[in-house]
Amino acid sequence: MAAADDLKFQEFDDAANLLAANPDATTISIDEPSAVPKNKHSHLQQSGREEDDELLGTDDSDKTELLAGQKKSAPFWTFEYYQTFFDVDTYQVLDRIKGSVFPVPGKNFVRLYIRSNPDLYGPFWICATLVFAIVVSGNLSNFFIHLGKPTYHYVPEFRKVSIAATTIYAYAWLVPLALWGFLMWRNSKVMNIVSYSFLEIVCVYGYSLFIYIPTAILWIIPQKVVRWVLVMFSLCLSGSVLVMTFWPAVRDDNRRIALATVGTIVLLHALLAVGCLAYFFDAPELDFPTPNIPAHNGTTVITKIQ
Amino acid sequence: MAAAEGSGVGGAAKPLFAGLSDVSISEDIPVEGEITVPVGSQSPDEDYSTLDEPVRDTIMRDLKAVGKKFVHVMYPKKSSALLRDWDLWGPLVLCVSLALMLQDGSADSKDDGGPQFAEVFVIIWFGAVVITLNSKLLGGTISFFQSLCVLGYCVLPLTVAMLVCRLVLLAGSGTVSFIVRLIVVIAMFGWSTLASTAFLADSQPPNRKALVVYPIFLFYFVISWMILTFTPQ
């Protein structure tokens, strides 16, 4: 048909025709950005920052940044947008939990495990499990401590569920919000190499709370020494994960501000553990059986040291 | 490009799609079928209208549906009756009866006692909604109300456990009764979890099954805890 020529696609012919007509025209080719210039740049600037590469994961950080930009494209009022925050498999969640409990020295939790795929499954359900672990363990521990006493009547203390839930969810969501705001503010003043998105910070905080679940269950043991050793141990583990995550983000800043930020992070983490221990778990009483001391007016006095 | 088009039009002097009207389907390609409008022989009046039936029939039909689902929960087989015809009557009845049976467990002060009616209600319904949202966000194919229906119906073994616990507590509240209650609650907790995962696990993507089953486990664990720690005044 004579009309068929008019229906042929013209585009590719045009490009080839244009290039053939004007071979000197500048063309832009898009290929993978190489990591070499970036390494050279950082080596020229700071010589003693070898751990930077490991912490940043520069071998594929560029790729992951590109991929991160392409992933969440659904508008925020659709269901698919929120599905992107739950795009994890079972083994990924287990890996992230393992990474939060066994900190590898020199490895950044966010770069190593999260890799621009922050999920909300871990933070939400770890917080929920922690709430119920603390309340149930506290109740059990109080039951065992007060077991033999004649005046003791067991109560389930169900109100503490709402208190625990408020505390733990506030810690897991408001502290990352404050930290993210603070880091954004410092970023506007001092150019930091590493910056985290809000969801990545929520993810780190959520997974770092995992160590408190077995700690809370072990707090049933009514020995003060055991409880405090557990607090120290879990604080060291999850605190070190937090410190190793956030130190690269504040390192370039004023020295005092950097130290103050990291110190506040660890302090709040410790405060959560100690506060939960003090509020939900009664102190194990030390009963010293003292002999009856007849007082002057003949009544007996039994002393008990709490 | 514009020059080429102009020359083409100038040379042919006829519009682009001129030849199309001459195209026709040749007779060797058989075209057959039926285009009929189904005569509306089923007028609404000829259907058995449920508006005129006696009230007892209406109630019995719904009760029978609920009862059939109860049987499906107690003997969980791979049947789709629970999923296909979901209803929320059963979960409502179970939730209300469980919440009522958990009353009278408060201590002297309201602060330290067992859960209030509203707390049990909110935990069961809000927990079921959160688990359903979780499974849908993880990519599950089950619908919202079907999942609510399954989770609500699988509270039935725990309601039975609550009933047994209250009866045992009438007899006494010593160590023996505690052990009996513990065994009953653990068994019913296992039954609930297994029944609900038997119905819900198939609709999840295969590498995320554990992520979906764990919140269900937590949900029934919390309800079992409320049942086990019930102490009457």
Side-chain angles (χ1 to χ4, degrees):
Chain A
M1 291 196 298
D5 289 335
D6 295 330
L7 297 177
K8 200 165 62 170
F9 275 128
Q10 308 273 356
E11 299 155 23
F12 297 122
D13 288 339
D14 287 342
N17 289 339
L18 276 178
L19 265 181
N22 188 8
D24 294 335
T26 47
T27 54
I28 302 172
S29 66
I30 302 176
D31 52 7
E32 278 193 7
S34 58
V36 174
K38 201 168 184 179
N39 274 340
K40 269 202 201 144
H41 174 73
S42 68
H43 275 222
L44 281 174
Q45 255 198 350
Q46 302 103 7
S47 49
R49 292 267 191 114
E50 289 87 24
E51 68 269 19
D52 226 19
D53 295 345
E54 269 194 332
L55 287 174
L56 287 179
T58 43
D59 50 350
D60 59 345
S61 68
D62 290 336
K63 275 188 256 181
T64 51
E65 290 302 321
L66 281 176
L67 283 175
Q70 290 166 10
K71 239 181 45 162
K72 301 176 181 42
S73 56
F76 70 90
W77 55 83
T78 57
F79 193 70
E80 283 73 29
Y81 176 74
Y82 298 102
Q83 268 185 324
T84 57
F85 302 136
F86 283 78
D87 194 16
V88 279
D89 293 337
T90 309
Y91 75 92
Q92 280 176 314
V93 172
L94 291 176
D95 274 345
R96 291 177 185 189
I97 291 178
K98 202 167 45 142
S100 78
V101 174
F102 302 119
V104 180
K107 295 277 191 208
N108 189 334
F109 179 76
V110 174
R111 290 299 171 204
L112 195 56
Y113 289 105
I114 307 231
R115 289 189 183 278
S116 302
N117 185 21
D119 70 303
L120 288 180
Y121 177 90
F124 183 78
W125 286 109
I126 290 178
C127 289
T129 311
L130 184 60
V131 165
F132 289 110
I134 284 187
V135 170
V136 169
S137 306
N139 205 261
L140 271 179
S141 131
N142 291 350
F143 173 70
F144 286 131
I145 286 177
H146 299 294
L147 188 48
K149 303 193 182 57
T151 58
Y152 175 66
H153 183 83
Y154 170 74
V155 285
E157 293 174 325
F158 202 75
R159 289 289 159 166
K160 297 200 168 170
V161 171
S162 24
I163 298 173
T166 313
T167 314
I168 289 175
Y169 274 100
Y171 176 79
W173 290 85
L174 292 183
V175 171
L177 184 66
L179 187 60
W180 174 74
F182 177 75
L183 287 178
M184 284 295 118
W185 175 59
R186 295 309 301 177
N187 248 353
S188 67
K189 303 208 162 183
V190 176
M191 195 57 217
N192 278 327
I193 299 181
V194 178
S195 71
Y196 298 121
S197 72
F198 171 62
L199 282 173
E200 286 172 345
I201 301 182
V202 166
C203 222
V204 172
Y205 263 87
Y207 280 103
S208 74
L209 284 177
F210 177 80
I211 187 73
Y212 287 138
I213 296 175
T215 310
I217 296 176
L218 286 175
W219 275 342
I220 297 180
I221 303 173
Q223 298 293 328
K224 251 194 170 125
V225 174
V226 171
R227 287 180 177 179
W228 281 99
V229 163
L230 283 169
V231 168
M232 288 296 127
F233 184 63
S234 57
L235 188 61
C236 285
L237 279 184
S238 57
S240 62
V241 169
L242 285 177
V243 165
M244 281 195 291
T245 304
F246 289 109
W247 180 246
V250 292
R251 181 171 45 193
D252 303 318
D253 208 343
N254 184 1
R255 197 78 184 170
R256 293 170 62 175
I257 292 187
L259 286 176
T261 310
V262 171
T264 313
I265 291 175
V266 176
L267 186 67
L268 284 174
H269 211 62
L271 209 60
L272 179 78
V274 172
C276 283
L277 178 61
Y279 184 72
F280 293 102
F281 294 81
D282 287 347
E285 300 185 356
L286 307 166
D287 280 310
F288 285 80
T290 59
N292 294 347
I293 304 169
H296 294 295
N297 52 5
T299 55
T300 57
V301 170
I302 303 175
T303 60
K304 197 182 332 193
I305 303 174
Q306 286 200 1
Chain B
M1 181 174 62
E5 248 187 29
S7 68
V9 170
K14 66 178 176 187
L16 275 176
F17 297 106
L20 227 59
S21 54
D22 300 337
V23 174
S24 63
I25 302 173
S26 79
E27 274 82 22
D28 355 315
I29 306 173
V31 176
E32 58 185 46
E34 266 192 4
I35 307 177
T36 56
V37 177
V39 178
S41 60
Q42 305 100 342
S43 61
D45 293 330
E46 287 192 1
D47 267 345
Y48 185 64
S49 161
T50 58
L51 206 54
D52 295 330
E53 65 179 6
V55 172
R56 193 170 70 154
D57 282 358
T58 313
I59 296 180
M60 287 312 293
R61 183 173 55 237
D62 282 336
L63 277 180
K64 277 200 199 119
V66 168
K68 201 157 49 157
K69 291 205 190 62
F70 279 166
V71 170
H72 277 298
V73 167
M74 294 313 274
Y75 300 105
K77 295 191 297 280
K78 290 267 189 273
S79 79
S80 58
L82 235 159
L83 294 180
R84 213 175 33 226
D85 311 315
W86 61 266
D87 76 273
L88 293 178
W89 281 113
L92 180 67
V93 163
L94 288 171
C95 179
V96 167
S97 55
L98 185 62
L100 281 177
M101 282 196 278
L102 277 169
Q103 294 310 295
D104 299 330
S106 351
D108 311 323
S109 75
K110 280 268 192 309
D111 288 338
D112 276 349
Q116 304 295 315
F117 182 92
E119 285 172 339
V120 178
F121 212 81
V122 161
I123 281 187
I124 292 184
W125 285 104
F126 186 64
V129 165
V130 164
I131 292 177
T132 307
L133 278 178
N134 177 63
S135 85
K136 285 189 77 67
L137 282 168
L138 280 170
T141 54
I142 201 171
S143 97
F144 184 77
F145 285 108
Q146 280 174 347
S147 172
L148 274 187
C149 167
V150 168
L151 286 169
Y153 269 103
C154 289
V155 174
L156 174 67
L158 287 169
T159 311
V160 168
M162 183 72 220
L163 199 60
V164 169
C165 281
R166 279 213 93 139
L167 292 174
V168 168
L169 278 170
L170 281 179
S173 58
T175 314
V176 175
S177 95
F178 175 73
I179 293 183
V180 169
R181 280 186 289 141
L182 183 67
I183 294 176
V184 168
V185 167
I186 289 180
M188 292 300 161
F189 161 64
W191 200 332
S192 283
T193 312
L194 286 174
S196 58
T197 48
F199 287 114
L200 288 178
D202 286 338
S203 61
Q204 308 303 325
N207 47 351
R208 295 180 183 182
K209 279 205 165 56
L211 296 183
V212 171
V213 167
Y214 171 71
I216 300 178
F217 170 86
L218 186 65
F219 176 62
Y220 289 124
F221 178 79
V222 171
I223 299 180
S224 314
W225 174 255
M226 287 196 294
I227 292 174
L228 191 59
T229 61
F230 174 75
T231 48
Q233 285 307 298

